[in-house]
Amino acid sequence: MKAKAGPPAQKRWSRILLAGPGAICVTVIVMAGMTLWLPGGRAGIDNLVLPLVLAPLIWAVLFFHACLDRSVGRVALIALALLLTHGGLLAHKWANWPSTAKEGGR
């Protein structure tokens, strides 16, 4: 009998999805959410420039974590936690955005 050499197909595909499109989606959301909690700096634009500069690093960390961690569940949990926290920050910011009807009535 020949033993299987490698992970089952379901784990392999979930790892591929977490390392590929999952890492890109989480990177974009984290990058957008970082603008809300980073300080503005002297010129007032550091909170916009720093996420753009750090985007490749964020993607690389998520990609290599998805490729190298033994537990696919842990990879998914960390990616989901990042996605939910920064997505929640963005949703909270957009929910408090003044509407155009209120602005026009001033």
Side-chain angles (χ1 to χ4, degrees), residues 1-2 8 12 17 21 32 37 43 80 87 90 100-101 105-106:
M1 282 224 127
K2 200 174 190 181
R12 186 176 331 133
L17 289 175
W37 57 264
L80 185 65
L90 291 170
T100 55
R106 265 204 247 178

Side-chain angles (χ1 to χ4, degrees), residues 2-3 21-22 26 28-31 39 43-44 54 60 70 73-74 76 79 87-88 90 93-95 98-99 103:
K2 200 174 190 181
V26 172
V28 169
I29 297 297
V30 167
M31 189 176 71
L54 291 178
R70 291 180 187 222
R74 183 172 38 229
L90 291 170
K93 177 70 174 178
W94 287 337
S99 68
E103 291 292 321

Side-chain angles (χ1 to χ4, degrees), residues 18-103:
L18 283 168
I24 292 171
C25 290
V26 172
T27 299
V28 169
I29 297 297
V30 167
M31 189 176 71
M34 281 176 71
T35 61
L36 299 175
W37 57 264
L38 280 174
R42 283 188 171 202
I45 60 168
D46 289 347
N47 61 334
L48 302 174
V49 173
L50 200 58
L52 288 173
V53 172
L54 291 178
L57 179 66
I58 296 167
W59 173 82
V61 167
L62 290 169
F63 176 80
F64 285 116
H65 181 242
C67 290
L68 299 175
D69 197 346
R70 291 180 187 222
S71 173
V72 178
R74 183 172 38 229
V75 172
L77 185 67
I78 290 173
L80 185 65
L82 284 170
L83 185 73
L84 289 178
T85 54
H86 286 87
L89 282 171
L90 291 170
H92 183 266
K93 177 70 174 178
W94 287 337
N96 292 335
W97 197 269
S99 68
T100 55
K102 290 179 184 175
E103 291 292 321

